[in-house]
Amino acid sequence: MDWDRLYAFGAILPSVILLGIFVYGFIGETVYWSLTSWRGVELNPTKAYIGIQNYKDLFTAFGSIEPKFRLGIVNTFFFTAFFLVGCLTLGFLLAVLLDQNIKSEGIFRTIFLFPMALSFAVTGTIWRWLFNPGGGINALPTVVGADPLTFKWLNNRSAFTFNWHEVPWPITAIIMLGLLAYFAMQVSRRNYLKAIFFGVPMVLIFAWVAADFATWDPARKDELMHGLFQWSTMLDVIAAVIVILFCLGTIQALWHSSRTAIWLGVPTMLLVLWYFTGGPDSLPKLDIPEAESPYGFNMALIALIIAAVWQLSGYTMAMYLAGIRGVSDELREAARVDGCNEVQVYTKIILPLLRPITLSAAIVLGHISLKIFDLIFAMVGPDFLPTTVPGVQVYSMFRSNEFAKGSAIAVVLLMMVAIIIIPYLATQLRGEHEV
């Protein structure tokens, strides 16, 4: 008998049992509750099996009790997108700043990392004071004698909208010229494949703007506003994205003379034919309750995103700084000898080498943003609908004795996190085995 293995098995067995009961066992119990009609603590509670009715209610019901779960999903999407971009960008810039061998680097590093020592509840309380409409940031201009700002940070209930007709024409022209200049630069450098990948979205943007101007009718102004989120058009958007991805994949395969183009080209042609012969019109249309209360990027999310980025940009700074310090001086010097300036050394040499760090940071930040609760609870409370997210809705449902619906939200939240975490863990485990 291998006593070492037996001893090791006996040592980890209690942990395995406790993990199975208090983690996976409770997950299974939550999934079961989500399939019942349980309404919380009652004298004679009933847990009748109702299948996936609770999940249907989450995506279709808009009564006085059920939270606007679809609004929470939209808010989570925008919060996650801007939170990731903000943390990764600011963290990288801070790391580059500290890499310049500045004096008192340790003090600045401690200052940047300090927000991580605080909980989201403390951070939310601090930033709630700062975003007070009658003080804080809005009162800063009064220090120099100017009028205070009037922006409604956390009290804002409006979704961001815009129309190309309301954008000043110089800004529109600058955007268009910038896109054309980048496309021309890729062509002049003979980066034809990159030019194609950039040119296709650029043409779509041009067509989008042109269609706006071609169909502009002041009497139908509200219908042409952009920035709002309509679930009724989600399938159309997904279909368009799939067609574009297939087209780009086929172009890339043809460019590299890959055999993939053979089996990828046929479905691509069929998809293009289906799309331009009215295929999207045959897709089922979802309910559109958003017409009465449009969804989109609510302006109150700006304050939440600023607070969250302030909290965790120090974390990405630390990861990027460790990665930058791992790049050898010989490689940097070789890049400079080849003609790179300092900006190109960081953007063309170091940043590509930091892709694993970027991926790891994005995974960690992504799953934090999906289950965000305490920051929003501390800044706006659990009942402010414009900033509601699934993490807060779970609390609201349990508080309302809607245990089954709260469990259903928790299961959906678990699946969203699993979509991010499981591929990352599989990649990490595969890498360890290859080593």
Side-chain angles (χ1 to χ4, degrees):
M1 180 180 294
D2 190 340
W3 287 102
D4 290 340
R5 290 190 177 184
L6 187 60
Y7 177 77
F9 178 76
I12 66 171
L13 183 59
S15 299
V16 173
I17 295 175
L18 293 175
L19 188 68
I21 294 175
F22 291 103
V23 177
Y24 298 102
F26 285 174
I27 290 176
E29 188 73 10
T30 303
V31 173
Y32 167 70
W33 290 345
S34 71
L35 302 175
T36 68
S37 60
W38 189 25
R39 293 182 56 85
V41 180
E42 300 172 321
L43 184 59
N44 296 308
T46 57
K47 300 180 182 178
Y49 177 78
I50 59 174
I52 60 172
Q53 185 59 45
N54 287 323
Y55 295 95
K56 289 182 178 178
D57 291 343
L58 290 181
F59 286 94
T60 58
F62 291 86
S64 58
I65 296 178
E66 293 87 355
K68 291 190 174 181
F69 182 71
R70 302 201 307 202
L71 173 60
I73 296 292
V74 174
N75 285 338
T76 301
F77 169 77
F78 285 115
F79 179 84
T80 301
F82 288 102
F83 173 60
L84 283 180
V85 172
C87 284
L88 294 176
T89 304
L90 184 59
F92 179 73
L93 293 177
L94 293 176
V96 171
L97 177 65
L98 293 179
D99 190 48
Q100 307 306 311
N101 296 321
I102 60 177
K103 292 182 179 179
S104 305
E105 176 190 329
I107 296 176
F108 286 107
R109 190 168 58 239
T110 303
I111 292 174
F112 296 150
L113 279 173
F114 175 72
M116 283 192 62
L118 304 176
S119 68
F120 270 128
V122 175
T123 299
T125 303
I126 295 172
W127 282 96
R128 186 181 62 190
W129 294 338
L130 293 176
F131 288 125
N132 189 320
I137 294 177
N138 280 358
L140 281 180
T142 60
V143 177
V144 293
D147 294 332
L149 301 176
T150 58
F151 187 75
K152 298 177 182 178
W153 292 97
L154 295 173
N155 295 330
N156 210 319
R157 291 178 176 273
S158 59
F160 172 74
T161 59
F162 80 97
N163 187 291
W164 286 108
H165 286 265
E166 297 180 350
V167 179
W169 70 266
I171 296 179
T172 305
I174 290 174
I175 293 174
M176 298 300 177
L177 290 175
L179 294 174
L180 283 174
Y182 184 79
F183 178 77
M185 183 177 66
Q186 298 304 324
V187 173
S188 64
R189 293 180 178 178
R190 299 184 179 181
N191 295 327
Y192 298 119
L193 185 59
K194 184 180 290 187
I196 293 174
F197 273 74
F198 179 77
V200 172
M202 188 182 69
V203 170
L204 293 176
I205 292 175
F206 282 177
W208 180 39
V209 177
D212 262 12
F213 279 90
T215 59
W216 171 249
D217 180 2
R220 297 170 58 244
K221 180 179 177 181
D222 291 337
E223 298 180 11
L224 297 175
M225 281 292 179
H226 301 298
L228 299 180
F229 193 97
Q230 291 289 344
W231 284 94
S232 60
T233 60
M234 274 300 296
L235 293 179
D236 295 352
V237 174
I238 292 174
V241 171
I242 291 176
V243 171
I244 293 173
L245 291 178
F246 266 82
C247 290
L248 293 177
T250 304
I251 292 172
Q252 185 178 27
L254 289 171
W255 187 267
H256 294 291
S257 301
S258 172
R259 294 182 179 178
T260 308
I262 299 175
W263 62 264
L264 193 59
V266 176
T268 299
M269 288 189 293
L270 293 176
L271 278 173
V272 172
L273 182 64
W274 169 80
Y275 190 85
F276 286 101
T277 54
D281 296 335
S282 63
L283 295 174
K285 303 300 180 186
L286 302 178
D287 296 333
I288 52 173
E290 293 90 346
E292 299 178 356
S293 179
Y295 295 173
F297 177 74
N298 194 286
M299 304 302 285
L301 288 175
I302 295 176
L304 300 175
I305 293 169
I306 292 175
V309 170
W310 178 81
Q311 171 97 31
L312 285 170
S313 58
Y315 162 73
T316 54
M317 181 274 296
M319 295 189 67
Y320 276 130
L321 184 61
I324 291 174
R325 292 288 165 81
V327 178
S328 65
D329 292 335
E330 292 78 7
L331 184 60
R332 300 188 191 203
E333 193 60 32
R336 295 189 186 99
V337 170
D338 288 340
C340 289
N341 55 36
E342 285 303 312
V343 175
Q344 290 174 327
V345 168
Y346 281 102
T347 57
K348 302 290 185 181
I349 305 299
I350 295 178
L351 192 56
L353 293 174
L354 298 179
R355 283 176 183 169
I357 293 177
T358 302
L359 177 62
S360 299
I363 294 296
V364 173
L365 296 174
H367 100 272
I368 290 176
S369 66
L370 289 178
K371 63 180 185 180
I372 192 73
F373 168 78
D374 35 10
L375 178 67
I376 296 177
F377 190 94
M379 291 186 72
V380 295
D383 301 319
F384 189 55
L385 199 57
T387 59
T388 186
V389 294
V392 176
Q393 290 172 352
V394 172
Y395 169 80
S396 299
M397 286 293 95
F398 277 76
R399 189 182 58 175
S400 305
N401 275 345
E402 295 285 350
F403 280 31
K405 288 187 172 61
S407 299
I409 296 175
V411 172
V412 174
L413 200 57
L414 174 67
M415 295 175 63
M416 292 166 59
V417 175
I419 291 173
I420 294 179
I421 295 298
I422 291 178
Y424 173 72
L425 292 179
T427 304
Q428 294 296 313
L429 291 174
R430 191 182 303 117
E432 291 178 1
H433 286 303
E434 290 176 353
V435 172

